[in-house]
Amino acid sequence: MVRFEHVEKTYLKNGRSVEALKHINLDIQAGSVFGIIGHSGAGKSTLLRLMNGLESPSSGRLSVLGQDLSAVPAQELKRLQKQIGMVFQHFNLLDSKTVFENVALPLRLNKVGNQEVEERVSALLDYVGLTDKAQIRPHQLSGGQKQRVGIARALIMGPKLVIADECISALDVSIQAQVVNLMKDLQAQTGTTYLF
Ligand code: ADP
């Protein structure tokens, strides 16, 4: 699913170079659940941004879903990105839209027809236990509910890889297990690769 070969990433910051990633070799098997841990500043976010093509490595080779990211044309990169679902620490929901429309957003952007949007979003909201919240705005939800919306939106395109960047660290400890268990169930059912 993901392969890093001798990957390095150096940023230039105020004229100084910062080595964020040094000599990274990494293989993530399809269907696995993979966790990356490290102290603040260790390079975790940089690693994730390389994986979804938001940054390029300074050197080394990197492939995702069997595609060499250094050689991939822009159009193909977009297609690849559609197969990666992102779950964010602070949810990144749009408060101007209902819960339903937040989950529907990737489908709308891909011009999926209304009937199919209705079916797919309703099924997923049902799965994450938010059917009765479909027509309200995210600010009316608890943190755990907001993250369930975030998870539904990440899954709506049927991704092959889900990247969850500190997806429970903004939640109450009592809610964290619920969200992890939901993701565990989803992973077991679909065999999607999850990266935490
Ligand atoms: P983590 O996610 O583990 O906290 P990051 O990947 O955010 O780590 O950061 C790794 C290192 O790279 C840090 O020293 C950070 O200051 C630096 N860094 C991250 N992003 C940038 C950037 N856009 N420009 C310059 N330096 C950066």
Side-chain angles (χ1 to χ4, degrees):
M1 183 61 60
V2 176
R3 171 167 287 167
F4 280 63
E5 289 171 90
H6 312 295
V7 168
E8 314 231 335
K9 178 69 184 178
T10 303
Y11 293 106
L12 213 58
K13 200 174 182 179
N14 306 327
R16 278 185 42 232
S17 62
V18 179
E19 282 182 317
L21 296 177
K22 235 170 123 176
H23 203 65
I24 302 291
N25 290 293
L26 182 67
D27 256 316
I28 301 177
Q29 300 299 318
S32 62
V33 177
F34 199 94
I36 298 171
I37 54 175
H39 59 79
S40 173
K44 305 178 294 294
S45 302
T46 300
L47 204 70
L48 301 185
R49 287 201 300 271
L50 289 174
M51 262 178 227
N52 61 19
L54 293 179
E55 303 259 14
S56 330
S58 307
S59 64
R61 274 171 61 123
L62 163 60
S63 64
V64 176
L65 287 148
Q67 289 260 11
D68 182 345
L69 286 195
S70 58
V72 71
Q75 203 58 32
E76 189 59 25
L77 181 63
K78 276 200 183 137
R79 205 185 61 79
L80 201 70
Q81 285 168 333
K82 281 183 199 165
Q83 298 178 66
I84 302 175
M86 294 290 300
V87 183
F88 302 95
Q89 182 178 9
H90 296 294
F91 325 123
N92 290 16
L93 303 176
L94 297 175
D95 216 43
S96 57
K97 293 188 182 290
T98 61
V99 164
F100 183 99
E101 285 302 330
N102 267 276
V103 177
L105 198 62
L107 298 174
R108 301 276 189 221
L109 292 172
N110 283 284
K111 310 238 180 315
V112 174
N114 278 338
Q115 169 94 26
E116 191 181 339
V117 170
E118 182 64 40
E119 284 168 13
R120 285 170 67 174
V121 174
S122 300
L124 208 45
L125 284 179
D126 186 37
Y127 198 82
V128 300
L130 290 176
T131 298
D132 58 333
K133 310 286 185 209
Q135 294 312 321
I136 67 171
R137 312 256 161 191
H139 76 268
Q140 293 171 278
L141 299 175
S142 68
Q145 289 169 335
K146 283 180 193 163
Q147 196 54 300
R148 285 192 267 153
V149 179
I151 291 166
R153 182 187 51 193
L155 297 178
I156 195 71
M157 297 294 286
K160 298 221 167 67
L161 170 66
V162 174
I163 298 179
D165 191 3
E166 308 220 12
C167 65
I168 56 165
S169 53
L171 301 176
D172 286 348
V173 174
S174 60
I175 304 299
Q176 290 185 348
Q178 283 179 21
V179 171
V180 169
N181 285 335
L182 171 67
M183 295 179 94
K184 232 167 134 180
D185 287 348
L186 289 165
Q187 198 280 335
Q189 285 201 4
T190 57
T192 308
T193 311
Y194 273 72
L195 178 66
F196 288 90

